[in-house]
């Protein structure tokens, strides 16, 4: 209980409204709609251009020995963690500060190792991960150095550290509401300052592949129908609109950055 209180207390309350109860709703919706296979993963984890951005990371994993352990930081309801687990058969540790999201991930994907922790303090040992993934998390956090130094501490030497997220489409970082949409330059420099070398940067549309987008839309509609009376609904809806407006304006782009720890 103390661990959980500690990890969730690092989360900005605006972020908790958007990802606490709403990630539990996504899991409830996915079950109620009978989503299965990749549709289930996309329905609960619709973020940042998945799954094509995740495939970029997978190609890097395939270049070395098969990974035994992958750490997914800020795992939410676990869709991305489970996507990597099913494709690699590695043990995937899903680190997530919010209890509602952890409960959803544990319930949906019982083969994941779901743990309480934050991006700044995962609670994991040094040099234990064959890959570290952060999907949709960095853009929620102000201090990239604290997060990237933790990711690199946990990663073994030469392991990929992959960031899949929304970034500024421009050379300037854009701060808006709870988000910091970093320029690719700022994110790359921050990784290099942690001793990483950048191996690949792939920009893509933020819209997921059609089957993921469709599953996510069905989940969103279920939430609209069933959760509109909940106190967190307005914050969830406003955040969704905020992101959609930025994407439609072209000011932000989805991107996958794969670095390796030197
Ligand atoms: C956009 S969701 C992405 C969830 C998951 N990675 C996915 O792609 O489905 C952002 C996640 O980051 C988590 N988060 C927020 N602040 C965090 C922090 N300081 N450390 C770790 N995770 C955090 C949220 O609780 C939420 O689960």
């Amino acid at each position: 209980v103390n661990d959980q209180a500690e990890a969730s207390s690092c989360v900005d309350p605006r972020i908790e409204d958007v990802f606490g109860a709403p990630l539990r709703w996504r899991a409830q919706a996915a079950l109620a709609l009978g989503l299965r296979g990749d549709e289930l993963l996309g329905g609960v984890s619709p973020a940042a251009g998945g799954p094509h951005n995740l495939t970029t990371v997978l190609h890097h994993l395939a270049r070395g020995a098969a990974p035994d352990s992958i750490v997914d930081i800020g795992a939410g309801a676990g869709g991305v963690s489970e996507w990597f687990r099913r494709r690699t058969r590695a043990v995937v540790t899903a680190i997530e500060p919010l209890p509602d999201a952890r409960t959803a991930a544990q319930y949906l994907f019982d083969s994941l190792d779901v743990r309480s922790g934050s991006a700044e303090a995962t609670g994991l040992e040094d040099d234990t991960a064959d890959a570290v993934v952060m999907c949709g998390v960095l853009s929620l956090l102000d201090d990239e150095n604290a997060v990237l130094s933790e990711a690199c501490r946990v990663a073994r030497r030469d392991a990929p550290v992959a960031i899949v997220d929304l970034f500024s489409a421009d050379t300037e970082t854009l701060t808006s509401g709870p988000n910091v949409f970093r320029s690719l330059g700022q994110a790359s420099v921050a990784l290099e300052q942690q001793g990483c070398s950048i191996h690949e940067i792939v920009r893509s549309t933020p819209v997921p592949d059609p089957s993921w987008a469709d599953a996510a839309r069905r989940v969103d509609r279920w939430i609209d129908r069933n959760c509109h009376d909940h106190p967190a609904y307005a914050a969830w809806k406003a955040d969704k609109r905020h992101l959609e407006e930025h994407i439609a304006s072209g000011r932000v782009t989805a991107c996958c950055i794969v670095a390796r720890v030197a």
Side-chain angles (χ1 to χ4, degrees):
V1 170
N2 282 343
D3 262 10
Q4 293 185 358
E6 226 174 85
S8 59
S9 69
C10 76
V11 178
D12 180 331
R14 288 176 303 178
I15 290 175
E16 182 154 7
D17 270 351
V18 175
F19 297 111
L23 284 177
R24 178 163 45 78
W25 302 337
R26 296 201 86 77
Q28 288 168 337
L31 292 174
L33 294 166
L35 298 183
R36 299 257 184 285
D38 273 10
E39 277 196 340
L40 170 61
L41 311 186
V44 298
S45 286
H52 42 270
N53 271 327
L54 307 183
T55 305
T56 300
V57 181
L58 198 62
H59 288 152
H60 280 266
L61 289 175
R63 284 179 200 173
D68 291 327
S69 65
I70 297 176
V71 172
D72 182 13
I73 298 179
V80 166
S81 313
E82 179 67 5
W83 190 93
F84 280 106
R85 194 195 69 76
R86 289 183 187 176
R87 278 155 180 84
T88 63
R89 300 283 154 196
V91 172
V92 179
T93 302
I95 301 290
E96 169 58 45
L98 296 181
D100 273 333
R102 283 200 302 278
T103 305
Q106 259 154 351
Y107 188 81
L108 291 173
F109 309 117
D110 60 5
S111 298
L112 293 178
D113 173 18
V114 180
R115 299 194 193 182
S116 172
S118 70
E120 300 81 356
T122 58
L124 300 173
E125 305 270 309
D126 292 359
D127 301 324
T128 44
D130 294 324
V132 176
V133 177
M134 278 185 281
C135 185
V137 182
L138 190 65
S139 61
L140 294 170
L141 306 175
D142 292 335
D143 181 358
E144 70 264 25
N145 295 323
V147 174
L148 297 179
S149 109
E150 179 66 356
C152 295
R153 181 187 70 74
V154 166
R156 289 188 216 282
R157 193 162 174 273
D158 209 32
V161 172
I163 302 170
V164 174
D165 215 322
L166 294 174
F167 290 85
S168 168
D170 193 16
T171 50
E172 298 293 317
T173 288
L174 168 66
T175 302
S176 175
N179 295 111
V180 184
F181 302 115
R182 290 177 175 81
S183 68
L184 291 170
Q186 183 181 342
S188 304
V189 167
L191 278 160
E192 284 165 350
Q193 280 172 349
Q194 298 302 328
C196 286
S197 51
I198 308 293
H199 280 243
E200 191 166 5
I201 298 183
V202 181
R203 279 176 192 250
S204 68
T205 162
V207 180
D209 289 359
S211 74
W212 279 46
D214 181 58
R217 253 191 313 272
R218 290 169 65 199
V219 165
D220 288 346
R221 282 196 217 113
W222 186 95
I223 292 175
D224 286 335
R225 285 196 303 277
N226 293 284
C227 307
H228 53 87
D229 289 337
H230 191 285
Y233 178 79
W236 173 76
K237 200 72 182 168
D239 182 70
K240 199 163 155 337
R241 213 172 297 123
H242 167 77
L243 291 177
E244 283 166 0
E245 281 167 11
H246 276 297
I247 290 167
S249 74
R251 286 190 298 264
V252 301
T253 180
C255 197
C256 173
I257 305 182
V258 183
R260 281 182 192 263
V261 177

